[in-house]
Amino acid sequence: MKAEVKLMKGNEAIARAAIRYGADGYFGYPITPQSEVLETLEAEMPWETTGMVVLQAESEVASINMVYGGAAAGKAVMTSSSSPGVSLMQEGISYLAASELPALIVNVMRGGPGLGTIQPSQADYFQATKGGGHGDYHIIVLAPSTVQEMADFVALGFDLAFKYRTPAMIMADGVVGQMMEKVVLPEQRPRRTNEQIARECPWALTGKPDSRKPNIITSLELDSAIMEKNNERFQETYRRIQENEVRYEERFTDDAEYLIVAFGSVARICLKAIEDARKKGIKVGLIRPITLWPFPYKEIARVAEHTKGILCVELNAGQMVEDVRLAVGDKVPVRHFGRMGGIVPAPQEVLDALEHDFHINSL
Amino acid sequence: MKDEIIIAGFGGQGVLSMGKILAYAALENDQEVTWMPSYGPEQRGGTANVTVILSDEPISSPVLSEYDTAVILNQQSLDKFESRVKPGGVLIYDPYDIHHAPTRTDIDVVAVPAMEATIAMGQAKAYNMILLGALLAKRPDVPVEAVVRGLKKALPERHHHLIPVNEQAIRKGMELVG
């Protein structure tokens, strides 16, 4: 059967993909540029079809704690927000990580710091990848660059979250959230039954039968010896994720003399700049990290070996560039080009930066 | 085929919906398409614009430095985008309330008296469709039949009775360009 191709915004794709995934609940509070996630869910009324709960909470703090409650019961639950709202959720995300709970968090980033602007940004890279809340933890961070990936990463995010019992984040920007393009949604999956949850998530709070001990879900552990053991277990999980879940896209790298590293919508702007550069005889390749954590260090190092320079392009003052430098060390010069505060560069600006930073005299 | 289009004017003139109908027409016509709006407070006044890219190939950047085609609905947008039309490109504009007409000679400048035609038709909401018709006459990227099918998808069902008026306005716009 031919899949139905639809035209929709990235935010709408996230909402529709969540219903199709068989998600059990969404809890959120509106904020531009991602309000269409909540709007679409409310218009679709999935509580009447799949039984998915959709609730507009009184705040972002309430939303993330509702997510904690649903996740503790083994349910596939999610929230979405934009930068200032995600800052408010950081305490809850740290608690989710410490309680080893799966959940999906969507951040459609806007320019900051503070309340900032409503225009696109990638300035929450540090917050998402280095642990935005307190304590030694990581969450899986997926960076979509198309509306199709906005839809696909809902299932991927939930699946990874449940596989490793960790929160996962879709970190998009206002461009991918607001733009419309073609998308094919997955088939409708049924929500998991309580029996399935009890079987697949033996750790979940599903009502204690006589046959097992009570499950306790908490991030509090006053015995430091036990808390250190807990931390060691978390770190072991992070090592497994780093070994198995790195995802990235590589374009035009075979003969590349220069490399651009960019994620999300910016990778597409860079791809256009690369097409233009190649018309001028400048051989440029692209690496687009799809997982920002775990980060594709080895993969960037491998491609960087035969290049003369790397330009890291981001909608921020220079955040991912630190990871790119960690990947390649002193072997290859690494420069950063970024716009801030909601300004999105045009492809020509990226090409100008590349030519300027590496003194390329085009033909 | 690839057409990189900017549509720009005041919020409320139907800039975003013109782009949306074009995008749905491309979907109906099995083409690749991106629709990237300026979003936020400008929807309620001030300038609004949308970049629509139609192509037979996958589309890289939804954000552009320059355009093959510009559809311009006010002076501010003309001032901003005239210089960003590629040499040999097309600039369609409504001369209504334009005090400084376009001066480029290396592009095809097309004045479409859409406001006049709207008033003559007595259909204020048909304004953007007249300009869409003009665009389709200069750039036949998608057949009119696909646009009409696109209208059905872009408009909520309660507005479907307006489709004949919209189609009439599109044909009027095509006639104005000739």
Side-chain angles (χ1 to χ4, degrees):
Chain A
M1 196 182 78
K2 202 182 163 199
E4 193 186 0
V5 183
K6 294 192 165 184
L7 190 67
M8 67 182 76
K9 286 187 171 192
N11 291 334
E12 197 185 336
I14 283 188
R16 293 181 187 279
I19 299 171
R20 293 284 179 101
Y21 179 76
D24 296 300
Y26 169 97
F27 310 95
Y29 188 79
I31 177 171
T32 306
Q34 65 78 53
S35 296
E36 294 87 356
V37 179
L38 178 56
E39 282 170 16
T40 305
L41 284 168
E42 286 180 345
E44 288 298 303
M45 300 194 287
W47 53 90
E48 293 194 346
T49 52
T50 69
M52 179 187 182
V53 171
V54 178
L55 194 131
Q56 180 174 334
E58 68 270 33
S59 72
E60 289 84 350
V61 175
S63 306
I64 197 71
N65 284 292
M66 289 173 182
V67 166
Y68 186 104
K75 302 286 184 181
V77 289
M78 66 182 292
T79 185
S80 68
S81 190
S82 181
S83 308
V86 176
S87 288
L88 285 167
M89 293 182 183
Q90 290 303 329
E91 181 197 44
I93 296 171
S94 173
Y95 279 42
L96 283 161
S99 304
E100 298 172 282
L101 290 177
L104 182 64
I105 298 140
V106 180
N107 182 3
V108 183
M109 291 177 282
R110 54 191 252 179
L115 213 44
T117 167
I118 59 172
Q119 300 302 325
S121 168
Q122 297 179 323
D124 303 347
Y125 179 90
F126 282 152
Q127 184 193 57
T129 62
K130 312 297 175 189
H134 59 280
D136 278 322
Y137 77 91
H138 283 289
I139 60 172
I140 295 167
V141 183
L142 303 168
S145 73
T146 61
V147 172
Q148 185 65 53
E149 284 187 342
M150 289 288 257
D152 294 346
F153 288 1
V154 170
L156 179 62
F158 269 128
D159 287 348
L160 291 174
F162 274 90
K163 182 175 178 189
Y164 294 99
R165 285 181 61 187
T166 173
M169 176 180 277
I170 294 176
M171 198 166 85
D173 54 67
V175 175
V176 197
Q178 290 295 326
M179 75 182 289
M180 286 203 303
E181 62 186 344
K182 282 156 80 164
V183 61
V184 177
L185 293 173
E187 294 290 310
Q188 179 67 53
R189 292 191 353 186
R191 285 173 52 238
R192 285 180 307 164
T193 61
N194 286 341
E195 292 71 30
Q196 267 178 298
I197 292 172
R199 200 167 53 241
E200 291 168 18
C201 308
W203 47 266
L205 308 183
T206 50
K208 191 193 90 63
D210 291 337
S211 54
R212 68 161 166 83
K213 286 185 188 169
N215 285 338
I216 298 171
I217 289 183
T218 178
S219 67
L220 177 71
E221 179 49 69
L222 294 175
D223 184 332
S224 292
I226 299 175
M227 194 62 205
E228 186 175 49
K229 286 267 178 264
N230 288 351
N231 268 276
E232 284 167 0
R233 193 174 63 248
F234 305 156
Q235 294 303 319
E236 178 50 32
T237 301
Y238 302 147
R239 266 191 295 279
R240 282 195 296 131
I241 295 171
Q242 283 173 306
E243 272 167 30
N244 300 317
E245 306 300 345
V246 169
R247 287 169 169 78
Y248 65 100
E249 184 189 13
E250 208 176 315
R251 302 287 297 272
F252 305 111
T253 49
D254 287 348
D255 64 343
E257 292 179 1
Y258 299 93
L259 182 65
I260 291 180
V261 183
F263 67 95
S265 64
V266 180
R268 296 178 62 171
I269 294 168
C270 292
L271 200 55
K272 173 95 175 173
I274 290 168
E275 289 163 10
D276 294 345
R278 284 183 170 262
K279 281 180 204 155
K280 296 169 78 175
I282 309 166
K283 290 178 181 165
V284 192
L286 173 77
I287 288 192
R288 174 173 75 92
I290 292 171
T291 48
L292 300 181
W293 196 90
F295 191 76
Y297 292 107
K298 285 182 211 154
E299 294 71 15
I300 290 175
R302 170 177 55 76
V303 174
E305 259 176 35
H306 61 82
T307 59
K308 296 181 203 165
I310 301 177
L311 184 68
C312 189
V313 185
E314 306 171 71
L315 301 182
N316 59 45
Q319 299 191 16
M320 182 173 69
V321 66
E322 293 190 3
D323 283 318
V324 175
R325 287 206 174 101
L326 272 178
V328 302
D330 295 332
K331 286 182 210 147
V332 184
V334 178
R335 300 280 181 273
H336 173 264
F337 174 69
R339 297 296 305 263
M340 294 173 285
I343 300 288
V344 179
Q348 187 59 44
E349 284 178 71
V350 173
L351 185 50
D352 289 346
L354 183 82
E355 290 180 320
H356 174 266
D357 285 353
F358 297 109
H359 312 290
I360 304 167
N361 298 313
S362 51
L363 302 172
Chain B
M1 192 287 293
K2 187 172 190 185
D3 197 0
E4 298 177 331
I5 305 164
I6 181 85
I7 305 168
F10 287 122
Q13 279 181 313
V15 167
L16 299 189
S17 49
M18 192 198 312
K20 202 169 179 177
I21 289 159
L22 192 56
Y24 273 103
L27 176 74
E28 289 294 314
N29 205 33
D30 282 331
Q31 285 159 311
E32 296 302 319
V33 60
T34 62
W35 176 92
M36 178 63 213
S38 61
Y39 60 87
E42 56 268 77
Q43 283 178 19
R44 290 149 195 100
T47 56
N49 67 70
V50 60
T51 304
V52 180
I53 307 174
L54 312 177
S55 178
D56 295 331
E57 306 285 326
I59 297 163
S60 53
S61 177
V63 178
L64 299 169
S65 333
E66 46 178 22
Y67 309 91
D68 299 308
T69 309
V71 182
I72 302 296
L73 282 65
N74 67 5
Q75 185 72 55
Q76 288 94 321
S77 301
L78 182 60
D79 296 343
K80 187 171 174 186
F81 291 110
E82 183 181 354
S83 63
R84 290 162 68 174
V85 178
K86 292 179 204 171
V90 173
L91 189 161
I92 293 165
Y93 79 106
D94 183 355
Y96 183 84
D97 218 20
I98 293 287
H99 309 292
H100 313 285
T103 54
R104 296 253 318 252
T105 53
D106 60 336
I107 57 174
D108 185 5
V109 175
V110 186
V112 179
M115 185 60 83
E116 263 180 48
T118 304
I119 294 164
M121 279 179 78
Q123 294 284 355
K125 286 187 176 169
Y127 179 62
N128 60 347
M129 291 300 98
I130 293 175
L131 284 156
L132 178 60
L135 171 67
L136 292 171
K138 291 305 291 188
R139 293 282 199 204
D141 298 325
V142 281
V144 180
E145 296 71 35
V147 178
V148 175
R149 290 203 304 276
L151 267 168
K152 281 187 190 142
K153 290 208 168 173
L155 292 177
E157 217 154 281
R158 65 179 189 279
H159 290 151
H160 278 194
H161 66 282
L162 297 171
I163 289 172
V165 175
N166 279 288
E167 191 180 346
Q168 200 191 334
I170 290 168
R171 296 201 185 276
K172 180 73 196 168
M174 296 179 90
E175 277 168 31
L176 287 176
V177 174

